[in-house]
Amino acid sequence: MNFEKVLICAPTASAKNYCFDEWIKNVMDFTYPNFEVALFDNTIDKGKNAEYLNKRYTEIFGNNGKFKAYHSNTDKISSVIERMCVSHNMCRDMALKEGYKYILHLESDIFPERDIIECLMFHDKRVVGAL
């Protein structure tokens, strides 16, 4: 059976670190077999929070290549809305450039059921929302 590649992605910031461990454990417990996770951190800190997220993930799961946090390089943008927009666009750009069939934009403080990917795919729509 062929399982299309899914990118689980979202903008994030250090304000959401309060639940990162629980969130990433929830995501890594998803039942769909072919996904990767990318967070695009827009904290104004020259990439320190993205480094922290990568380190924390490795401490919990090792370096299995399924997760990566990127600094959105929005340090010179004062508007939170603009920083989030840049991060959202980076999610889309990554999916297009790296050949992902699907994107699941999953906020980094939302905890869906383990089979969320399969449930969304079941509807066979170009765009579908949940929660």
Side-chain angles (χ1 to χ4, degrees):
M1 186 167 208
N2 183 24
F3 292 96
E4 299 286 355
K5 192 161 71 163
V6 175
L7 176 61
I8 300 171
C9 57
T12 197
S14 60
K16 292 191 177 185
N17 286 357
Y18 71 95
C19 65
F20 176 75
D21 287 7
E22 293 81 10
W23 182 83
I24 197 62
K25 288 174 185 175
N26 175 256
V27 170
M28 297 312 291
D29 198 33
F30 285 178
T31 56
Y32 189 79
N34 192 15
F35 69 86
E36 295 172 355
V37 183
L39 292 180
F40 293 90
D41 182 67
N42 53 53
T43 304
I44 300 174
D45 67 355
K46 299 182 181 170
K48 288 180 179 32
N49 193 56
E51 290 175 17
Y52 165 78
L53 295 174
N54 287 318
K55 180 181 178 213
R56 192 69 196 118
Y57 177 84
T58 301
E59 290 170 355
I60 298 169
F61 294 103
N63 191 10
N64 64 8
K66 288 190 68 98
F67 172 85
K68 177 82 172 162
Y70 300 89
H71 180 56
S72 294
N73 198 19
T74 56
D75 289 354
K76 294 181 181 177
I77 301 172
S78 61
S79 166
V80 173
I81 300 298
E82 285 182 51
R83 290 197 314 269
M84 288 175 56
C85 181
V86 168
S87 295
H88 274 292
N89 285 336
M90 290 177 77
C91 292
R92 180 188 57 86
D93 291 345
M94 179 179 188
L96 291 172
K97 288 177 185 171
E98 297 189 20
Y100 290 91
K101 176 75 175 180
Y102 300 101
I103 300 172
L104 171 58
H105 270 271
L106 180 62
E107 291 295 324
S108 56
D109 58 358
I110 299 294
F111 298 80
E113 298 294 322
R114 295 178 63 224
D115 63 347
I116 186 64
I117 295 172
E118 297 93 317
C119 288
L120 293 170
M121 286 181 169
F122 173 79
H123 296 284
D124 197 29
K125 302 283 185 190
R126 288 179 46 87
V127 177
V128 64
L131 308 175

